[in-house]
Amino acid sequence: MADTTVRVGAIDCGTNSIRLLVADVDPPTGALTDVVRRMEIVRLGHGVDRTGVIAPESMERTLSVTREYAAACRELGASAVRFVATSASRDARNAADFIDGVRTAFQEHYGSEVTPEVVSGDEEASLSFAGATGGLAAQRVSGPYLVVDLGGGSTELVRGTDHVEAARSVDIGCVRMTERHLVSDPPTADEIAAATRDIDAALDVAESAVPVEGVAALVGLAGSVTTITAHLLHLTAYDPERIHLSHAPVADVIAACDDLLAMTRADRAALPYMHPGRVDVIGAGALVWRRVVERVADRAAITEVVTSEHDILDGIALSVARRP
């Protein structure tokens, strides 16, 4: 049988970070093997809401890393590359400068032009869903899946089996909930109650678009969820291989969420798997995740939760490999 594997590059350039995945992908099966996976904090979108422009230092930080990523794609033999960018690279008045900078970086360091793409919300949901669910069938985890991407500003809920059937984004990310409600260290009962009201109201909105009944598997992704999973696994260091596609009983997930929410920031910082940038916001992430898990367990009678280390970056790689 002929080898159908293709080596591709995928770049996800967000508001805060830029990530690279070079992977060997088998397009018919969707099997994906990492060659290299990188992440740098560049804060491309810092201040864009306020000023309407990408700051010069933010742009240069991002383009400097882009040049490194372009060179890595060439050196590792990626046959094609896709660069998906945040809305900051579309909305800012100087977005054309950033787009030109990315094109030039790839022309000079990869050998062909790559243009940043700002994808629609529907395509973003589709890419995240494909990345998160790619390995589930091989584990004999059957759908329908509810994939929940718990971010800093928002949380996306996506339902489907072979493809996206329904999706909705709501503004209950870990950073937003921390800044809005959980300001004490540790959070007070009143702060937690206020945050819970916001979270539940947002999940009501999400559930009006994304039905939860009948879901066979709840799949959580992004840093809050993977950190909660590291906590319930009692890891001595952050270990993506232990975390990826791990299954945990609902009760264990809820207990881990409660534990992290109640901790002081100093106690969280002392945990061996805790990223320094997550110390102040993981409590809010844990509260959001607990409310999601409790709701899905109630509506769909799930007994365990799956955590995925794979997300939109993996979906981008799959999309490149499947292009004609």
Side-chain angles (χ1 to χ4, degrees):
M1 185 178 291
D3 182 10
T4 57
T5 301
V6 57
R7 179 165 292 185
V8 298
I11 296 170
D12 173 34
C13 183
T15 302
N16 285 321
S17 66
I18 182 168
R19 300 184 298 153
L20 167 70
L21 172 63
V22 176
D24 292 328
V25 183
D26 182 39
T29 65
L32 183 151
T33 304
D34 288 11
V35 177
V36 70
R37 194 180 285 259
R38 285 180 56 182
M39 185 274 286
E40 273 77 28
I41 302 294
V42 290
R43 294 190 166 86
L44 175 67
H46 180 69
V48 170
D49 281 345
R50 179 174 49 82
T51 65
V53 298
I54 300 170
E57 59 273 19
S58 299
M59 190 178 303
E60 180 46 41
R61 275 196 305 269
T62 308
L63 291 177
S64 175
V65 176
T66 298
R67 290 188 282 271
E68 293 179 22
Y69 285 2
C73 288
R74 186 195 73 240
E75 290 160 7
L76 294 170
S79 60
V81 179
R82 187 177 185 189
F83 188 119
V84 172
T86 178
S87 59
S89 61
R90 172 190 60 199
D91 299 339
R93 291 195 299 274
N94 57 346
D97 295 339
F98 175 68
I99 291 168
D100 287 345
V102 172
R103 286 175 175 156
T104 299
F106 272 89
Q107 193 72 57
E108 293 180 353
H109 297 276
Y110 175 62
S112 63
E113 189 174 283
V114 173
T115 300
E117 302 172 52
V118 180
V119 297
S120 68
D122 286 346
E123 184 168 6
E124 184 173 354
S126 181
L127 290 169
S128 292
F129 183 83
T133 61
L136 294 177
Q139 273 213 345
R140 298 185 178 175
V141 178
S142 57
Y145 310 116
L146 180 66
V147 173
V148 180
D149 186 344
L150 203 172
S154 63
T155 294
E156 284 71 49
L157 292 87
V158 187
R159 176 177 174 145
T161 301
D162 300 319
H163 61 276
V164 173
E165 296 163 7
R168 182 64 190 256
S169 177
V170 285
D171 290 337
I172 51 169
C174 60
V175 174
R176 192 185 300 271
M177 290 295 99
T178 300
E179 293 177 350
R180 189 182 294 174
H181 296 296
L182 305 185
V183 293
S184 299
D185 182 22
T188 67
D190 286 346
E191 289 170 353
I192 292 169
T196 300
R197 285 193 293 273
D198 264 13
I199 292 163
D200 289 348
L203 291 177
D204 287 342
V205 171
E207 197 176 356
S208 69
V210 184
V212 174
E213 286 84 357
V215 163
L218 172 61
V219 184
L221 45 145
S224 286
V225 175
T226 60
T227 302
I228 292 161
T229 303
H231 188 63
L232 69 87
L233 291 173
H234 307 291
L235 298 184
T236 55
Y238 192 89
D239 185 346
E241 291 187 7
R242 288 280 307 280
I243 293 167
H244 183 53
L245 297 185
S246 62
H247 298 235
V250 165
D252 290 359
V253 177
I254 292 170
C257 289
D258 287 344
D259 198 28
L260 287 165
L261 178 59
M263 282 184 178
T264 65
R265 292 175 183 175
D267 286 341
R268 294 173 189 164
L271 297 171
Y273 39 78
M274 183 68 63
H275 190 286
R278 207 166 296 288
V279 167
D280 57 338
V281 297
I282 189 62
L287 182 58
V288 173
W289 189 226
R290 188 186 82 190
R291 299 306 289 168
V292 170
V293 170
E294 288 173 334
R295 181 176 293 235
V296 180
D298 179 60
R299 304 278 202 275
I302 61 161
T303 58
E304 63 179 18
V305 177
V306 181
T307 300
S308 177
E309 282 275 356
H310 291 182
D311 53 21
I312 189 171
L313 191 60
D314 304 78
I316 296 166
L318 286 167
S319 74
V320 179
R322 288 171 171 165
R323 281 176 170 171

